[in-house]
Amino acid sequence: MDTRQKLLTNWVRQFNGLSEAIAEPVSGDASFRRYFRVWRDGQGHQPTPLIVMDAPPEHEDCTAFLAIARHWHRHGIHVPEILQTDLEQGFLLLEDFGDNLMLGQLDDSSADRLYHGALTELVQIQQLAAPDDYPLPPYDAALLDREMALFPDWLLEQYLGLSLDNTERALLDTAFAFLRESALAQPEVTVHRDYHSRNLLVADNTDRPGVIDFQDAVAGPVTYDVVSLLKDCYIHWPEEAICRWLEFFRQRSSEAGLHRADSETFRQWFELMGMQRHLKAAGIFARLAIRDGKEGYLADIPRTVNYLIIASRRQPALRHFHEWLSTVVMPAIEQRIGTAPNQEQTPQ
């Protein structure tokens, strides 16, 4: 047991029913946060599981997490209830949604039900205003550009060792500008910013997912979260299924008054937003490996970049970018990492 786990255990034992609690590691994530499970004495009933978040204050600021969690919970979004907090030490006691990540529950028989539940919950999130005590940061041009820059900075140059010449940098600048303009033209909603199958938990008694990891929420494009979910960096689905789920979401979000886009316009927004996100994600996966030693994310890079290749193929304005990704970037990835699982079945 490390020092912070001991501190966390002592902290949680001060609360009713937790005087003998033992903090059992549950998981970490891509940040410095860690999660532990404790059991509250049921006093004659079944003990109740709870989650303790360890967020070292020198690395993690929980202000946004607390403001958004309380606001969304108050408005009926299925996020964990905040039970106790100690921001000075960086400890939070939370409702426990269990361990059944959506990613592990997805198969051909469950996918429609689980995605419909997740998309319905997303429409509810998008309709919320920002918390009164925490204005959501804007997903503006500067943020979009910083995220896309992760792709050349961390994946291409630092991980793959590619030296980009002036022509290649101009190619990237042109592609980034095209994607930025599309994102900024979309209607603005509340954006979770990491709404995918590893941040949604499946419960036995409801189709509504438990929503976690929302502390980076912003005000931004209406298609950002739906592309995170349907073009998930951790699982690939056939094109027909993605189109069907996207249309389900387009109709529900239109009925909620979030946009007035037809199917073709919404699909174009979705495709280009997906490219922006996948540039960011591929760069982050490389950064996690290089900077933080979390090499497990490297296996997700081929799938993520393959999404970029497929999407850019459909965009005449990105023809040269598509060719460069296909002939330069992906061969370098395959040589260093390998190919994504089932990548050869990816629809054209």
Side-chain angles (χ1 to χ4, degrees):
M1 185 181 296
D2 60 41
T3 301
R4 283 198 61 82
Q5 188 175 348
K6 291 178 182 177
L7 288 172
L8 178 149
T9 301
N10 290 334
W11 175 75
V12 83
R13 284 180 175 175
Q14 68 183 294
F15 303 119
N16 185 41
L18 292 166
S19 60
E20 298 182 7
I22 297 174
E24 304 167 357
V26 177
S27 69
D29 60 21
S31 72
F32 290 96
R33 291 183 299 273
R34 296 186 301 172
Y35 299 89
F36 298 85
R37 177 168 286 116
V38 294
W39 295 84
R40 172 173 277 161
D41 185 357
Q43 297 180 343
H45 303 284
Q46 283 288 100
T48 303
L50 300 172
I51 292 294
V52 190
M53 179 196 292
D54 171 22
E58 66 272 21
H59 297 298
E60 299 287 337
D61 182 357
C62 291
T63 304
F65 179 89
L66 288 174
I68 295 167
R70 287 167 172 158
H71 181 65
W72 287 12
H73 189 271
R74 190 161 55 246
H75 286 83
I77 304 302
H78 198 202
V79 294
E81 182 180 3
I82 308 294
L83 303 175
Q84 300 287 346
T85 67
D86 185 334
L87 294 185
E88 187 174 334
Q89 293 195 83
F91 300 143
L92 279 68
L93 185 64
L94 312 171
E95 179 183 4
D96 188 355
F97 283 166
D99 298 320
N100 291 327
L101 292 179
M102 182 176 172
L103 179 61
Q105 303 298 308
L106 284 166
D107 56 35
D108 289 340
S109 63
S110 68
D112 275 339
R113 176 177 57 83
L114 294 177
Y115 278 109
H116 284 180
L119 293 167
T120 300
E121 192 77 8
L122 178 56
V123 172
Q124 299 303 311
I125 292 171
Q126 291 190 337
Q127 293 179 78
L128 289 181
D132 291 337
D133 56 346
Y134 181 74
L136 294 178
Y139 219 147
D140 57 16
L143 180 54
L144 290 163
D145 284 343
R146 283 199 305 274
E147 290 184 342
M148 289 187 286
L150 296 168
F151 182 74
D153 292 351
W154 286 94
L155 177 61
L156 301 186
E157 295 181 328
Q158 294 200 51
Y159 186 74
L160 296 177
L162 299 177
S163 297
L164 303 180
D165 61 27
N166 290 337
T167 300
E168 290 170 316
R169 291 194 177 278
L171 193 66
L172 282 166
D173 289 343
T174 300
F176 290 0
F178 187 64
L179 300 177
R180 182 196 321 121
E181 290 169 12
S182 175
L184 295 175
Q186 294 184 35
E188 188 176 277
V189 298
T190 291
V191 174
H192 176 291
R193 207 169 162 208
D194 221 7
Y195 198 82
H196 56 69
S197 63
R198 284 185 175 175
N199 283 333
L200 299 172
L201 289 148
V202 177
D204 293 334
N205 56 351
T206 178
D207 289 339
R208 296 182 65 195
V211 180
I212 60 173
D213 208 18
F214 42 75
Q215 64 280 341
D216 293 325
V218 293
V222 67
T223 62
Y224 189 90
D225 283 337
V226 70
V227 84
S228 302
L229 182 66
L230 300 185
K231 289 193 174 186
D232 195 326
C233 295
Y234 308 113
I235 187 170
H236 172 262
W237 291 100
E239 186 77 2
E240 183 274 331
I242 292 174
C243 290
R244 186 175 69 250
W245 295 326
L246 181 64
E247 181 59 16
F248 173 89
F249 177 78
R250 185 194 71 82
Q251 292 179 11
R252 297 304 186 277
S253 53
S254 177
E255 290 165 1
L258 298 172
H259 65 87
R260 291 186 287 183
D262 59 23
S263 296
E264 183 176 348
T265 300
F266 202 78
R267 178 59 189 255
Q268 176 72 348
W269 288 347
F270 174 82
E271 289 292 320
L272 297 182
M273 193 75 255
M275 291 189 66
Q276 190 277 343
R277 174 168 172 80
H278 292 130
L279 287 164
K280 163 191 169 180
I284 287 175
F285 292 152
R287 185 177 67 184
L288 285 166
I290 296 167
R291 188 189 68 185
D292 304 329
K294 297 182 178 181
E295 296 190 351
Y297 290 93
L298 293 174
D300 300 308
I301 289 176
R303 181 188 302 106
T304 303
V305 175
N306 202 49
Y307 279 133
L308 286 167
I309 290 174
I310 294 168
S312 61
R313 181 188 298 138
R314 299 168 177 153
Q315 305 295 327
L318 297 177
R319 178 169 60 88
H320 296 299
F321 184 60
H322 165 76
E323 292 171 353
W324 177 70
L325 288 173
S326 301
T327 60
V328 176
V329 177
M330 185 55 88
I333 290 170
E334 290 174 346
Q335 183 176 4
R336 183 78 191 271
I337 302 172
T339 58
N342 301 322
Q343 189 169 315
E344 67 277 3
Q345 281 88 41
T346 302
Q348 304 300 306

